[in-house]
Amino acid sequence: MKSQIRVCVNVNCCQRGSREVAATLEKAFIADEVEVQASESCFRFCKSGPNVAVNGAILHHLNPSDAEKRVRAALARRIVKKEAIGTRPLDELDAALDEMMNF
Ligand code: FES
């Protein structure tokens, strides 16, 4: 199955540089079996952006200088999760709940 990377380019993430992150990832993974998409849909973690979903697992605070390294590490872990809160790792739940309460 082809891995999927989605970069949130909704308003908040875009203001934090997600379009540059998306461009960096598109170049970095052009030769890989990985699909990189810019997503207009908000991932609901706006204050932690730019946010990138790697096979459904959300990475926060990416920037063009660390995006490729962090995404490759996430791909190596081969974690497949849906974006629902019930499938998030415990260490991400506190941040997710803080985001939701302050949204
Ligand atoms: S704008 Fe990207 S998570 Fe909301």
Side-chain angles (χ1 to χ4, degrees):
M1 187 172 95
K2 196 172 186 177
S3 291
Q4 187 180 57
I5 300 168
R6 290 192 310 125
V7 181
C8 176
V9 293
N10 203 299
V11 176
N12 280 302
C13 284
C14 208
Q15 289 172 342
R16 296 169 196 255
S18 66
R19 291 242 183 238
E20 291 79 9
V21 170
T24 297
L25 292 175
E26 285 168 3
K27 280 186 201 165
F29 289 95
I30 198 162
D32 294 73
E33 281 290 308
V34 174
E35 180 181 1
V36 179
Q37 293 179 324
S39 173
E40 297 288 340
S41 298
C42 173
F43 294 179
R44 303 291 179 203
F45 296 100
C46 306
K47 290 181 182 173
S48 301
N51 294 301
V52 174
V54 179
N55 293 329
I58 309 286
L59 304 178
H60 306 287
H61 303 293
L62 271 80
N63 61 64
S65 65
D66 72 357
E68 180 181 358
K69 182 179 175 184
R70 290 183 60 195
V71 169
R72 287 195 187 280
L75 287 169
R77 288 194 302 266
R78 296 189 175 275
I79 296 171
V80 177
K81 296 185 180 75
K82 299 202 183 297
E83 292 174 29
I85 190 131
T87 58
R88 302 187 133 258
L90 285 175
D91 59 340
E92 287 185 19
L93 279 177
D94 279 344
L97 290 172
D98 285 345
E99 285 282 339
M100 292 171 73
M101 298 301 284
N102 295 321
F103 192 70

